[in-house]
Amino acid sequence: MKNICVQHFIYSFLCMLMVATISAYLQNTFSIDRVGTLVFLMIGIIGLIFSIAFAWFQKWLQQSVKSTVIFVLILSVYLVVFTYMFHVVDVDWNAVLEGQIQLTLLQKFLHSEWSIWLAFLFPFCASWLYQKKVK
């Protein structure tokens, strides 16, 4: 493959597909509603968009495919661990709503929408910082 942008895309999208598959499995295993297919489609589409944008960004920064794999693997591990922890850490929502208990910092982190969306910025920021360090 001579086109470096395609290589960046393929490696990052394969990692995102693995994340989508594992997240769908975790959803079906630990959740009551069993909407693993929906989770797979959602993470797959988000992974596709991320992979296209990140491949373009890596090509623009003239980064190696190795750095793409490293940054996307870090993101992938984070997303899988986050998904697992989301299903395993229990929250007594009735007690929280009644004001009897408050969420711990970990529970707040796991149930914040920003925890997922900001994670997708990590590869972009890390790649940009790495490029600035190399020059």
PDB file of all heavy atoms in Angstrom, residues 79-110:
ATOM      1  N   LEU A  79     -11.212   2.771  25.959  1.00  0.00           N
ATOM      2  CA  LEU A  79     -12.636   2.585  25.684  1.00  0.00           C
ATOM      3  C   LEU A  79     -13.146   1.235  26.172  1.00  0.00           C
ATOM      4  O   LEU A  79     -14.254   1.141  26.711  1.00  0.00           O
ATOM      5  CB  LEU A  79     -12.913   2.749  24.189  1.00  0.00           C
ATOM      6  CG  LEU A  79     -12.747   4.164  23.634  1.00  0.00           C
ATOM      7  CD1 LEU A  79     -12.904   4.160  22.125  1.00  0.00           C
ATOM      8  CD2 LEU A  79     -13.712   5.133  24.284  1.00  0.00           C
ATOM      9  N   VAL A  80     -12.355   0.203  26.022  1.00  0.00           N
ATOM     10  CA  VAL A  80     -12.769  -1.125  26.492  1.00  0.00           C
ATOM     11  C   VAL A  80     -12.830  -1.160  28.025  1.00  0.00           C
ATOM     12  O   VAL A  80     -13.806  -1.645  28.610  1.00  0.00           O
ATOM     13  CB  VAL A  80     -11.836  -2.228  25.945  1.00  0.00           C
ATOM     14  CG1 VAL A  80     -12.075  -3.552  26.641  1.00  0.00           C
ATOM     15  CG2 VAL A  80     -12.017  -2.371  24.441  1.00  0.00           C
ATOM     16  N   VAL A  81     -11.814  -0.628  28.687  1.00  0.00           N
ATOM     17  CA  VAL A  81     -11.810  -0.597  30.156  1.00  0.00           C
ATOM     18  C   VAL A  81     -12.965   0.270  30.656  1.00  0.00           C
ATOM     19  O   VAL A  81     -13.651  -0.079  31.618  1.00  0.00           O
ATOM     20  CB  VAL A  81     -10.451  -0.102  30.696  1.00  0.00           C
ATOM     21  CG1 VAL A  81     -10.511   0.178  32.186  1.00  0.00           C
ATOM     22  CG2 VAL A  81      -9.369  -1.121  30.388  1.00  0.00           C
ATOM     23  N   PHE A  82     -13.189   1.397  29.996  1.00  0.00           N
ATOM     24  CA  PHE A  82     -14.287   2.288  30.377  1.00  0.00           C
ATOM     25  C   PHE A  82     -15.632   1.568  30.253  1.00  0.00           C
ATOM     26  O   PHE A  82     -16.470   1.636  31.156  1.00  0.00           O
ATOM     27  CB  PHE A  82     -14.276   3.540  29.494  1.00  0.00           C
ATOM     28  CG  PHE A  82     -15.348   4.515  29.845  1.00  0.00           C
ATOM     29  CD1 PHE A  82     -15.142   5.450  30.841  1.00  0.00           C
ATOM     30  CD2 PHE A  82     -16.567   4.485  29.190  1.00  0.00           C
ATOM     31  CE1 PHE A  82     -16.138   6.351  31.172  1.00  0.00           C
ATOM     32  CE2 PHE A  82     -17.569   5.367  29.519  1.00  0.00           C
ATOM     33  CZ  PHE A  82     -17.355   6.312  30.512  1.00  0.00           C
ATOM     34  N   THR A  83     -15.839   0.860  29.151  1.00  0.00           N
ATOM     35  CA  THR A  83     -17.089   0.132  28.948  1.00  0.00           C
ATOM     36  C   THR A  83     -17.267  -0.950  30.008  1.00  0.00           C
ATOM     37  O   THR A  83     -18.356  -1.120  30.568  1.00  0.00           O
ATOM     38  CB  THR A  83     -17.128  -0.504  27.543  1.00  0.00           C
ATOM     39  OG1 THR A  83     -16.957   0.517  26.573  1.00  0.00           O
ATOM     40  CG2 THR A  83     -18.420  -1.236  27.295  1.00  0.00           C
ATOM     41  N   TYR A  84     -16.206  -1.667  30.304  1.00  0.00           N
ATOM     42  CA  TYR A  84     -16.275  -2.706  31.330  1.00  0.00           C
ATOM     43  C   TYR A  84     -16.615  -2.095  32.696  1.00  0.00           C
ATOM     44  O   TYR A  84     -17.504  -2.583  33.392  1.00  0.00           O
ATOM     45  CB  TYR A  84     -14.948  -3.462  31.398  1.00  0.00           C
ATOM     46  CG  TYR A  84     -14.906  -4.475  32.508  1.00  0.00           C
ATOM     47  CD1 TYR A  84     -15.571  -5.687  32.381  1.00  0.00           C
ATOM     48  CD2 TYR A  84     -14.218  -4.219  33.685  1.00  0.00           C
ATOM     49  CE1 TYR A  84     -15.558  -6.621  33.404  1.00  0.00           C
ATOM     50  CE2 TYR A  84     -14.194  -5.140  34.709  1.00  0.00           C
ATOM     51  CZ  TYR A  84     -14.855  -6.335  34.568  1.00  0.00           C
ATOM     52  OH  TYR A  84     -14.847  -7.252  35.583  1.00  0.00           O
ATOM     53  N   MET A  85     -15.912  -1.036  33.045  1.00  0.00           N
ATOM     54  CA  MET A  85     -16.150  -0.406  34.351  1.00  0.00           C
ATOM     55  C   MET A  85     -17.559   0.178  34.433  1.00  0.00           C
ATOM     56  O   MET A  85     -18.184   0.149  35.494  1.00  0.00           O
ATOM     57  CB  MET A  85     -15.109   0.695  34.598  1.00  0.00           C
ATOM     58  CG  MET A  85     -13.694   0.200  34.736  1.00  0.00           C
ATOM     59  SD  MET A  85     -13.427  -0.735  36.235  1.00  0.00           S
ATOM     60  CE  MET A  85     -13.514   0.557  37.438  1.00  0.00           C
ATOM     61  N   PHE A  86     -18.052   0.710  33.327  1.00  0.00           N
ATOM     62  CA  PHE A  86     -19.405   1.269  33.312  1.00  0.00           C
ATOM     63  C   PHE A  86     -20.437   0.213  33.695  1.00  0.00           C
ATOM     64  O   PHE A  86     -21.400   0.501  34.396  1.00  0.00           O
ATOM     65  CB  PHE A  86     -19.715   1.830  31.914  1.00  0.00           C
ATOM     66  CG  PHE A  86     -21.076   2.450  31.801  1.00  0.00           C
ATOM     67  CD1 PHE A  86     -21.290   3.756  32.215  1.00  0.00           C
ATOM     68  CD2 PHE A  86     -22.142   1.728  31.293  1.00  0.00           C
ATOM     69  CE1 PHE A  86     -22.547   4.338  32.113  1.00  0.00           C
ATOM     70  CE2 PHE A  86     -23.398   2.300  31.186  1.00  0.00           C
ATOM     71  CZ  PHE A  86     -23.607   3.608  31.602  1.00  0.00           C
ATOM     72  N   HIS A  87     -20.235  -1.007  33.238  1.00  0.00           N
ATOM     73  CA  HIS A  87     -21.193  -2.070  33.529  1.00  0.00           C
ATOM     74  C   HIS A  87     -20.953  -2.731  34.878  1.00  0.00           C
ATOM     75  O   HIS A  87     -21.892  -3.291  35.453  1.00  0.00           O
ATOM     76  CB  HIS A  87     -21.159  -3.139  32.435  1.00  0.00           C
ATOM     77  CG  HIS A  87     -21.705  -2.660  31.135  1.00  0.00           C
ATOM     78  ND1 HIS A  87     -23.010  -2.297  30.953  1.00  0.00           N
ATOM     79  CD2 HIS A  87     -21.109  -2.465  29.941  1.00  0.00           C
ATOM     80  CE1 HIS A  87     -23.206  -1.916  29.715  1.00  0.00           C
ATOM     81  NE2 HIS A  87     -22.056  -2.004  29.072  1.00  0.00           N
ATOM     82  N   VAL A  88     -19.739  -2.692  35.383  1.00  0.00           N
ATOM     83  CA  VAL A  88     -19.414  -3.416  36.608  1.00  0.00           C
ATOM     84  C   VAL A  88     -19.625  -2.565  37.869  1.00  0.00           C
ATOM     85  O   VAL A  88     -20.076  -3.077  38.892  1.00  0.00           O
ATOM     86  CB  VAL A  88     -17.966  -3.947  36.542  1.00  0.00           C
ATOM     87  CG1 VAL A  88     -17.524  -4.522  37.858  1.00  0.00           C
ATOM     88  CG2 VAL A  88     -17.861  -4.995  35.454  1.00  0.00           C
ATOM     89  N   VAL A  89     -19.312  -1.276  37.797  1.00  0.00           N
ATOM     90  CA  VAL A  89     -19.458  -0.413  38.970  1.00  0.00           C
ATOM     91  C   VAL A  89     -20.939  -0.086  39.155  1.00  0.00           C
ATOM     92  O   VAL A  89     -21.560   0.551  38.304  1.00  0.00           O
ATOM     93  CB  VAL A  89     -18.615   0.880  38.809  1.00  0.00           C
ATOM     94  CG1 VAL A  89     -18.873   1.823  39.973  1.00  0.00           C
ATOM     95  CG2 VAL A  89     -17.141   0.549  38.712  1.00  0.00           C
ATOM     96  N   ASP A  90     -21.486  -0.543  40.266  1.00  0.00           N
ATOM     97  CA  ASP A  90     -22.911  -0.365  40.531  1.00  0.00           C
ATOM     98  C   ASP A  90     -23.200   1.005  41.139  1.00  0.00           C
ATOM     99  O   ASP A  90     -22.398   1.553  41.906  1.00  0.00           O
ATOM    100  CB  ASP A  90     -23.419  -1.437  41.494  1.00  0.00           C
ATOM    101  CG  ASP A  90     -23.496  -2.799  40.841  1.00  0.00           C
ATOM    102  OD1 ASP A  90     -23.698  -2.852  39.618  1.00  0.00           O
ATOM    103  OD2 ASP A  90     -23.353  -3.800  41.564  1.00  0.00           O
ATOM    104  N   VAL A  91     -24.358   1.530  40.793  1.00  0.00           N
ATOM    105  CA  VAL A  91     -24.842   2.779  41.358  1.00  0.00           C
ATOM    106  C   VAL A  91     -26.276   2.549  41.825  1.00  0.00           C
ATOM    107  O   VAL A  91     -27.110   2.050  41.067  1.00  0.00           O
ATOM    108  CB  VAL A  91     -24.812   3.916  40.305  1.00  0.00           C
ATOM    109  CG1 VAL A  91     -25.410   5.185  40.880  1.00  0.00           C
ATOM    110  CG2 VAL A  91     -23.409   4.165  39.806  1.00  0.00           C
ATOM    111  N   ASP A  92     -26.549   2.919  43.041  1.00  0.00           N
ATOM    112  CA  ASP A  92     -27.918   2.851  43.565  1.00  0.00           C
ATOM    113  C   ASP A  92     -28.590   4.182  43.233  1.00  0.00           C
ATOM    114  O   ASP A  92     -28.518   5.149  43.986  1.00  0.00           O
ATOM    115  CB  ASP A  92     -27.904   2.600  45.070  1.00  0.00           C
ATOM    116  CG  ASP A  92     -29.290   2.428  45.655  1.00  0.00           C
ATOM    117  OD1 ASP A  92     -30.273   2.406  44.875  1.00  0.00           O
ATOM    118  OD2 ASP A  92     -29.393   2.326  46.890  1.00  0.00           O
ATOM    119  N   TRP A  93     -29.236   4.205  42.049  1.00  0.00           N
ATOM    120  CA  TRP A  93     -29.802   5.462  41.559  1.00  0.00           C
ATOM    121  C   TRP A  93     -30.953   5.955  42.437  1.00  0.00           C
ATOM    122  O   TRP A  93     -31.151   7.177  42.553  1.00  0.00           O
ATOM    123  CB  TRP A  93     -30.259   5.308  40.111  1.00  0.00           C
ATOM    124  CG  TRP A  93     -29.089   5.227  39.185  1.00  0.00           C
ATOM    125  CD1 TRP A  93     -28.666   4.130  38.496  1.00  0.00           C
ATOM    126  CD2 TRP A  93     -28.177   6.277  38.862  1.00  0.00           C
ATOM    127  NE1 TRP A  93     -27.545   4.435  37.759  1.00  0.00           N
ATOM    128  CE2 TRP A  93     -27.224   5.750  37.967  1.00  0.00           C
ATOM    129  CE3 TRP A  93     -28.056   7.608  39.242  1.00  0.00           C
ATOM    130  CZ2 TRP A  93     -26.179   6.507  37.451  1.00  0.00           C
ATOM    131  CZ3 TRP A  93     -27.013   8.371  38.725  1.00  0.00           C
ATOM    132  CH2 TRP A  93     -26.098   7.815  37.846  1.00  0.00           C
ATOM    133  N   ASN A  94     -31.689   5.062  43.076  1.00  0.00           N
ATOM    134  CA  ASN A  94     -32.765   5.504  43.964  1.00  0.00           C
ATOM    135  C   ASN A  94     -32.213   6.280  45.149  1.00  0.00           C
ATOM    136  O   ASN A  94     -32.754   7.326  45.524  1.00  0.00           O
ATOM    137  CB  ASN A  94     -33.600   4.319  44.447  1.00  0.00           C
ATOM    138  CG  ASN A  94     -34.418   3.705  43.340  1.00  0.00           C
ATOM    139  OD1 ASN A  94     -34.825   4.406  42.413  1.00  0.00           O
ATOM    140  ND2 ASN A  94     -34.650   2.405  43.418  1.00  0.00           N
ATOM    141  N   ALA A  95     -31.152   5.772  45.738  1.00  0.00           N
ATOM    142  CA  ALA A  95     -30.541   6.462  46.877  1.00  0.00           C
ATOM    143  C   ALA A  95     -29.912   7.787  46.447  1.00  0.00           C
ATOM    144  O   ALA A  95     -29.954   8.774  47.187  1.00  0.00           O
ATOM    145  CB  ALA A  95     -29.490   5.569  47.529  1.00  0.00           C
ATOM    146  N   VAL A  96     -29.347   7.817  45.256  1.00  0.00           N
ATOM    147  CA  VAL A  96     -28.748   9.064  44.755  1.00  0.00           C
ATOM    148  C   VAL A  96     -29.838  10.103  44.522  1.00  0.00           C
ATOM    149  O   VAL A  96     -29.695  11.275  44.903  1.00  0.00           O
ATOM    150  CB  VAL A  96     -27.954   8.805  43.450  1.00  0.00           C
ATOM    151  CG1 VAL A  96     -27.528  10.102  42.805  1.00  0.00           C
ATOM    152  CG2 VAL A  96     -26.736   7.937  43.737  1.00  0.00           C
ATOM    153  N   LEU A  97     -30.943   9.688  43.898  1.00  0.00           N
ATOM    154  CA  LEU A  97     -32.031  10.626  43.612  1.00  0.00           C
ATOM    155  C   LEU A  97     -32.716  11.133  44.881  1.00  0.00           C
ATOM    156  O   LEU A  97     -33.194  12.268  44.928  1.00  0.00           O
ATOM    157  CB  LEU A  97     -33.056   9.975  42.681  1.00  0.00           C
ATOM    158  CG  LEU A  97     -32.567   9.704  41.262  1.00  0.00           C
ATOM    159  CD1 LEU A  97     -33.604   8.919  40.470  1.00  0.00           C
ATOM    160  CD2 LEU A  97     -32.234  11.001  40.560  1.00  0.00           C
ATOM    161  N   GLU A  98     -32.767  10.304  45.896  1.00  0.00           N
ATOM    162  CA  GLU A  98     -33.365  10.725  47.163  1.00  0.00           C
ATOM    163  C   GLU A  98     -32.403  11.546  48.005  1.00  0.00           C
ATOM    164  O   GLU A  98     -32.784  12.074  49.042  1.00  0.00           O
ATOM    165  CB  GLU A  98     -33.834   9.502  47.952  1.00  0.00           C
ATOM    166  CG  GLU A  98     -35.001   8.788  47.305  1.00  0.00           C
ATOM    167  CD  GLU A  98     -35.370   7.505  48.013  1.00  0.00           C
ATOM    168  OE1 GLU A  98     -34.744   7.171  49.047  1.00  0.00           O
ATOM    169  OE2 GLU A  98     -36.281   6.813  47.519  1.00  0.00           O
ATOM    170  N   GLY A  99     -31.156  11.639  47.614  1.00  0.00           N
ATOM    171  CA  GLY A  99     -30.177  12.432  48.346  1.00  0.00           C
ATOM    172  C   GLY A  99     -29.529  11.715  49.506  1.00  0.00           C
ATOM    173  O   GLY A  99     -28.844  12.335  50.315  1.00  0.00           O
ATOM    174  N   GLN A 100     -29.751  10.424  49.607  1.00  0.00           N
ATOM    175  CA  GLN A 100     -29.176   9.664  50.712  1.00  0.00           C
ATOM    176  C   GLN A 100     -27.676   9.447  50.526  1.00  0.00           C
ATOM    177  O   GLN A 100     -26.935   9.421  51.506  1.00  0.00           O
ATOM    178  CB  GLN A 100     -29.883   8.323  50.856  1.00  0.00           C
ATOM    179  CG  GLN A 100     -31.332   8.449  51.237  1.00  0.00           C
ATOM    180  CD  GLN A 100     -32.044   7.105  51.198  1.00  0.00           C
ATOM    181  OE1 GLN A 100     -31.490   6.111  50.748  1.00  0.00           O
ATOM    182  NE2 GLN A 100     -33.287   7.078  51.667  1.00  0.00           N
ATOM    183  N   ILE A 101     -27.254   9.248  49.298  1.00  0.00           N
ATOM    184  CA  ILE A 101     -25.823   9.085  49.008  1.00  0.00           C
ATOM    185  C   ILE A 101     -25.471   9.952  47.804  1.00  0.00           C
ATOM    186  O   ILE A 101     -26.342  10.396  47.058  1.00  0.00           O
ATOM    187  CB  ILE A 101     -25.441   7.615  48.713  1.00  0.00           C
ATOM    188  CG1 ILE A 101     -26.178   7.093  47.476  1.00  0.00           C
ATOM    189  CG2 ILE A 101     -25.683   6.727  49.908  1.00  0.00           C
ATOM    190  CD1 ILE A 101     -25.659   5.744  46.992  1.00  0.00           C
ATOM    191  N   GLN A 102     -24.189  10.189  47.653  1.00  0.00           N
ATOM    192  CA  GLN A 102     -23.695  10.912  46.486  1.00  0.00           C
ATOM    193  C   GLN A 102     -22.797   9.977  45.688  1.00  0.00           C
ATOM    194  O   GLN A 102     -22.216   9.032  46.227  1.00  0.00           O
ATOM    195  CB  GLN A 102     -22.903  12.144  46.907  1.00  0.00           C
ATOM    196  CG  GLN A 102     -23.769  13.217  47.537  1.00  0.00           C
ATOM    197  CD  GLN A 102     -22.946  14.456  47.831  1.00  0.00           C
ATOM    198  OE1 GLN A 102     -21.732  14.456  47.717  1.00  0.00           O
ATOM    199  NE2 GLN A 102     -23.633  15.516  48.218  1.00  0.00           N
ATOM    200  N   LEU A 103     -22.706  10.267  44.412  1.00  0.00           N
ATOM    201  CA  LEU A 103     -21.827   9.465  43.567  1.00  0.00           C
ATOM    202  C   LEU A 103     -20.376   9.708  43.941  1.00  0.00           C
ATOM    203  O   LEU A 103     -19.982  10.840  44.257  1.00  0.00           O
ATOM    204  CB  LEU A 103     -22.026   9.827  42.089  1.00  0.00           C
ATOM    205  CG  LEU A 103     -23.374   9.491  41.469  1.00  0.00           C
ATOM    206  CD1 LEU A 103     -23.420   9.995  40.032  1.00  0.00           C
ATOM    207  CD2 LEU A 103     -23.627   8.007  41.486  1.00  0.00           C
ATOM    208  N   THR A 104     -19.571   8.657  43.879  1.00  0.00           N
ATOM    209  CA  THR A 104     -18.141   8.813  44.085  1.00  0.00           C
ATOM    210  C   THR A 104     -17.536   9.450  42.839  1.00  0.00           C
ATOM    211  O   THR A 104     -18.193   9.571  41.803  1.00  0.00           O
ATOM    212  CB  THR A 104     -17.469   7.449  44.347  1.00  0.00           C
ATOM    213  OG1 THR A 104     -17.586   6.646  43.175  1.00  0.00           O
ATOM    214  CG2 THR A 104     -18.089   6.749  45.548  1.00  0.00           C
ATOM    215  N   LEU A 105     -16.297   9.833  42.934  1.00  0.00           N
ATOM    216  CA  LEU A 105     -15.624  10.451  41.795  1.00  0.00           C
ATOM    217  C   LEU A 105     -15.564   9.480  40.610  1.00  0.00           C
ATOM    218  O   LEU A 105     -15.784   9.878  39.461  1.00  0.00           O
ATOM    219  CB  LEU A 105     -14.205  10.896  42.190  1.00  0.00           C
ATOM    220  CG  LEU A 105     -13.435  11.705  41.173  1.00  0.00           C
ATOM    221  CD1 LEU A 105     -14.184  12.979  40.808  1.00  0.00           C
ATOM    222  CD2 LEU A 105     -12.065  12.043  41.692  1.00  0.00           C
ATOM    223  N   LEU A 106     -15.303   8.203  40.882  1.00  0.00           N
ATOM    224  CA  LEU A 106     -15.274   7.196  39.822  1.00  0.00           C
ATOM    225  C   LEU A 106     -16.646   7.042  39.173  1.00  0.00           C
ATOM    226  O   LEU A 106     -16.757   6.978  37.947  1.00  0.00           O
ATOM    227  CB  LEU A 106     -14.794   5.845  40.369  1.00  0.00           C
ATOM    228  CG  LEU A 106     -14.819   4.683  39.379  1.00  0.00           C
ATOM    229  CD1 LEU A 106     -13.829   4.930  38.238  1.00  0.00           C
ATOM    230  CD2 LEU A 106     -14.514   3.373  40.081  1.00  0.00           C
ATOM    231  N   GLN A 107     -17.687   6.999  39.969  1.00  0.00           N
ATOM    232  CA  GLN A 107     -19.036   6.871  39.419  1.00  0.00           C
ATOM    233  C   GLN A 107     -19.417   8.089  38.594  1.00  0.00           C
ATOM    234  O   GLN A 107     -20.033   7.976  37.540  1.00  0.00           O
ATOM    235  CB  GLN A 107     -20.046   6.653  40.543  1.00  0.00           C
ATOM    236  CG  GLN A 107     -19.921   5.308  41.218  1.00  0.00           C
ATOM    237  CD  GLN A 107     -20.748   5.224  42.479  1.00  0.00           C
ATOM    238  OE1 GLN A 107     -21.010   6.236  43.145  1.00  0.00           O
ATOM    239  NE2 GLN A 107     -21.166   4.005  42.824  1.00  0.00           N
ATOM    240  N   LYS A 108     -19.043   9.289  39.040  1.00  0.00           N
ATOM    241  CA  LYS A 108     -19.301  10.501  38.264  1.00  0.00           C
ATOM    242  C   LYS A 108     -18.558  10.451  36.941  1.00  0.00           C
ATOM    243  O   LYS A 108     -19.095  10.815  35.900  1.00  0.00           O
ATOM    244  CB  LYS A 108     -18.869  11.743  39.044  1.00  0.00           C
ATOM    245  CG  LYS A 108     -19.778  12.102  40.171  1.00  0.00           C
ATOM    246  CD  LYS A 108     -19.274  13.337  40.888  1.00  0.00           C
ATOM    247  CE  LYS A 108     -20.114  13.658  42.110  1.00  0.00           C
ATOM    248  NZ  LYS A 108     -19.602  14.844  42.814  1.00  0.00           N
ATOM    249  N   PHE A 109     -17.311   9.992  36.989  1.00  0.00           N
ATOM    250  CA  PHE A 109     -16.503   9.883  35.780  1.00  0.00           C
ATOM    251  C   PHE A 109     -17.102   8.893  34.796  1.00  0.00           C
ATOM    252  O   PHE A 109     -17.196   9.162  33.599  1.00  0.00           O
ATOM    253  CB  PHE A 109     -15.065   9.469  36.152  1.00  0.00           C
ATOM    254  CG  PHE A 109     -14.167   9.268  34.983  1.00  0.00           C
ATOM    255  CD1 PHE A 109     -13.631  10.340  34.299  1.00  0.00           C
ATOM    256  CD2 PHE A 109     -13.855   7.987  34.543  1.00  0.00           C
ATOM    257  CE1 PHE A 109     -12.799  10.161  33.206  1.00  0.00           C
ATOM    258  CE2 PHE A 109     -13.034   7.789  33.450  1.00  0.00           C
ATOM    259  CZ  PHE A 109     -12.504   8.883  32.792  1.00  0.00           C
ATOM    260  N   LEU A 110     -17.531   7.745  35.302  1.00  0.00           N
ATOM    261  CA  LEU A 110     -18.085   6.706  34.436  1.00  0.00           C
ATOM    262  C   LEU A 110     -19.427   7.097  33.819  1.00  0.00           C
ATOM    263  O   LEU A 110     -19.766   6.634  32.740  1.00  0.00           O
ATOM    264  CB  LEU A 110     -18.243   5.394  35.209  1.00  0.00           C
ATOM    265  CG  LEU A 110     -16.948   4.680  35.574  1.00  0.00           C
ATOM    266  CD1 LEU A 110     -17.240   3.484  36.474  1.00  0.00           C
ATOM    267  CD2 LEU A 110     -16.207   4.244  34.338  1.00  0.00           C
TER     268      LEU A 110
END
